[in-house]
Amino acid sequence: MNNQGRKTSELLLLIREGKPMTLWQQLRLTILLSIPAIVAQLSSIVMQYIDAAMVGSLGAEEAAAIGLMSTTTWLFLGLCSAASAGFYVQVAHCVGAGDMSRARAVVRQAVTASVAFSILLAMAGVLISGRLPVWLGGEPSVCHDASAYFFIFSLFLPALQLNSLVGGVLRCTGNMRVPSMVGVLMCVLDVVFNFFLIFPSRDIELFGSVVFMPGAGMEVKGAALGTAAAEVVTATVLVWYLWHCSAELRMSDERGRFRPSVRTLKKALHIGLPMGIEHTVICGAQIMTTVIVAPLGVFAIAANSFAITAESLCYMPGYGIAEAATTLVGQGVGAGRIQLARGFARITVCMGMIVMGIMGALMYIAAPQIIGLMTSVEEIRLLGIMALRIEAFAEPMFAASIVSYGVFVGAADTLIPCMMNFFSIWAVRLVLAALLAPTMGLQGVWVAMCVELCFRGVIFLIRLRWGRWLKTVG
């Protein structure tokens, strides 16, 4: 263990042992946990850009085949993530209470239950893969590739589920470094596997010499298999580390029951079910946004897509800090240290707002360069710049909602926050966008998004300050 990892473990031990922590120690621990998670989130987005560019180079139809399935794949990913959260939050509470035996028991049960869930989800995906592109209104020219892509994606959902679950339980012990490094590895492997699977064998120029580069030439299917192969490799690495190397959860020397208990499943449903429902309704909201933007024309559709992709670089640090918030609050709650959990909640939310506020300012300034990297079409570029500069003003409050949500998840309080997200997106964003788009065009859609994110941040801060989110733990 390096010096940083050792210091993190020492500070986390103060939570479990009930020892006092100074404000500086709380702040330092938050930073130590946040940085690896932020790096992993940012690297994931960068690699997704590269991945999308590799597929996009094949042509418009190939890119459209994957783009057509993006909302559905996001939905399935979200459901797997919700299933994992139902268990890793329980692990955080057990670790905070110092009950490592119970934590390991929950992990064993979680592996069985979550993998079984992912197998059922995979079967559903395989069954609908042939008709799904048609249901989504895909052109006949892209439906075959889109169907094949989703079929392969669905087959490997159990590997993705293990990545989500094992990465989550390790982070909830305070080990952010290993899941983050493995996350970066998965992104790199995805690009490497895609390089050989997507493109055919060809000669390439390398350092002034012509080199023969083998390739499978599988195009869209190669992109799906490349991602799947990366998931299998990293899931294997994470499971091996969990079983043999994790200081808190190592199970190689211990026998235990893998059959889930009713108690564990009930708690997992209490935490994870609202999150799964939330992912479903947010997917519906994304589809409705597309419906609102579509009549504005091809330039608006393209600019909207590019701006959403570009903005993700700005808010990924917020999700990294939210992961740290879940760990810190979860362990504080498990240790019965309610005031310390509240302190970590305040620190992480403030840190997220500061970091994303800075990112928002940079996005405002660099908007022309960011959009310019994605398109050279002047009409699209101007609309994209406008969208990013509107959204920049919402980033601090967006951070407040993202990190507060991570806080509430750590306290096993997911139902009301999910309802808050649902109301904010459907009753504020979509209604405003529908009202403003006919007269303001794409600008109206992004003004609606900015207003909604600020509103969402306000209501999450109100719940954080005066809500009973810590009363839900039982």
Side-chain angles (χ1 to χ4, degrees):
M1 184 184 294
N2 62 16
N3 184 58
Q4 187 180 66
R6 187 162 46 250
K7 188 61 183 177
T8 301
S9 297
E10 290 173 357
L11 290 171
L12 285 169
L13 198 59
L14 296 178
I15 300 176
R16 301 169 199 164
E17 294 181 346
K19 295 180 179 178
M21 295 186 71
T22 65
L23 179 61
W24 167 244
Q25 287 174 321
Q26 295 176 47
L27 183 59
R28 185 176 183 185
L29 179 56
T30 302
I31 293 171
L32 287 172
L33 292 179
S34 297
I35 289 176
I38 291 172
V39 170
Q41 293 281 355
L42 289 175
S43 65
S44 175
I45 289 298
V46 170
M47 292 301 173
Q48 285 177 33
Y49 286 170
I50 298 172
D51 198 23
M54 294 171 75
V55 175
S57 67
L58 297 173
E61 289 185 352
E62 288 81 1
I66 295 178
L68 180 65
M69 310 311 296
S70 60
T71 304
T72 311
T73 55
W74 187 88
L75 171 61
F76 276 49
L77 291 171
L79 293 175
C80 288
S81 176
S84 298
F87 294 101
Y88 66 63
V89 171
Q90 295 184 62
V91 172
H93 293 172
C94 294
V95 171
D99 190 351
M100 301 305 169
S101 177
R102 172 64 185 162
R104 290 189 290 271
V106 171
V107 172
R108 283 191 291 267
Q109 296 173 53
V111 169
T112 303
S114 61
V115 170
F117 170 78
S118 67
I119 290 173
L120 292 175
L121 201 60
M123 291 170 62
V126 167
L127 287 173
I128 67 172
S129 60
R131 299 295 300 167
L132 183 60
V134 178
W135 295 340
L136 294 174
E139 296 291 331
S141 59
V142 306
C143 282
H144 176 74
D145 279 344
S147 176
Y149 180 87
F150 192 73
F151 178 86
I152 296 169
F153 165 82
S154 299
L155 278 180
F156 288 89
L157 276 173
L160 188 145
Q161 180 73 76
L162 282 173
N163 272 301
S164 173
L165 174 68
V166 179
V169 298
L170 289 174
R171 281 190 291 269
C172 283
T173 67
N175 186 341
M176 294 287 188
R177 184 167 169 266
V178 170
S180 298
M181 290 172 61
V182 172
V184 173
L185 173 65
M186 182 168 71
C187 296
V188 174
L189 289 176
D190 183 26
V191 173
V192 172
F193 290 147
N194 281 354
F195 183 77
F196 290 102
L197 292 172
I198 292 175
F199 304 108
S201 298
R202 69 273 189 206
D203 292 327
I204 64 171
E205 187 172 336
L206 189 65
F207 302 117
S209 302
V210 177
V211 179
F212 175 76
M213 188 63 62
M218 298 178 69
E219 298 187 341
V220 172
K221 297 183 188 71
L225 283 173
T227 302
E231 290 169 357
V232 170
V233 171
T234 52
T236 303
V237 171
L238 281 173
V239 171
W240 178 86
Y241 181 89
L242 174 69
W243 241 255
H244 296 282
C245 303
S246 172
E248 296 84 4
L249 301 177
R250 182 174 62 246
M251 287 174 278
S252 56
D253 302 326
E254 175 183 278
R255 288 190 173 186
R257 171 178 166 174
F258 281 81
R259 181 180 175 182
S261 68
V262 174
R263 174 190 174 194
T264 302
L265 287 177
K266 284 179 66 176
K267 285 188 175 181
L269 281 172
H270 171 75
I271 298 166
L273 184 59
M275 298 176 71
I277 294 172
E278 178 194 29
H279 282 293
T280 303
V281 298
I282 288 178
C283 273
Q286 290 177 326
I287 293 170
M288 289 302 300
T289 300
T290 303
V291 170
I292 293 170
V293 172
L296 302 178
V298 292
F299 292 147
I301 295 170
N304 185 67
S305 175
F306 287 141
I308 289 172
T309 302
E311 192 213 356
S312 63
L313 276 173
C314 193
Y315 62 67
M316 279 301 110
Y319 282 104
I321 297 171
E323 290 181 357
T326 298
T327 298
L328 292 167
V329 172
Q331 290 204 18
V333 168
R337 304 186 65 180
I338 302 305
Q339 290 306 314
L340 184 62
R342 288 191 182 276
F344 279 127
R346 289 191 291 268
I347 289 171
T348 53
V349 170
C350 288
M351 181 183 295
M353 294 179 71
I354 292 170
V355 170
M356 280 183 57
I358 294 171
M359 295 293 289
L362 293 175
M363 184 171 73
Y364 186 94
I365 295 168
Q369 290 74 28
I370 295 171
I371 296 296
L373 290 173
M374 298 181 178
T375 180
S376 59
V377 179
E378 185 65 11
E379 292 90 340
I380 298 175
R381 196 180 72 85
L382 291 174
L383 285 171
I385 293 169
M386 173 271 300
L388 287 185
R389 285 184 165 168
I390 291 172
E391 194 71 359
F393 291 97
E395 294 306 309
M397 297 310 292
F398 191 16
S401 66
I402 291 172
V403 184
S404 293
Y405 189 86
V407 167
F408 300 148
V409 170
D413 175 49
T414 56
L415 178 59
I416 293 179
C418 288
M419 292 170 62
M420 291 163 62
N421 273 331
F422 172 76
F423 175 81
S424 184
I425 293 171
W426 280 83
V428 179
R429 179 187 299 190
L430 292 180
V431 170
L432 273 178
L435 290 173
L436 297 178
T439 55
M440 297 177 65
L442 187 64
Q443 183 182 29
V445 175
W446 282 78
V447 166
M449 190 182 301
C450 179
V451 171
E452 183 271 322
L453 289 175
C454 291
F455 171 79
R456 197 193 314 178
V458 169
I459 62 175
F460 269 82
L461 287 175
I462 290 172
R463 178 161 177 79
L464 186 73
R465 175 65 180 85
W466 287 289
R468 296 168 59 85
W469 53 275
L470 279 171
K471 301 294 184 182
T472 63
V473 181

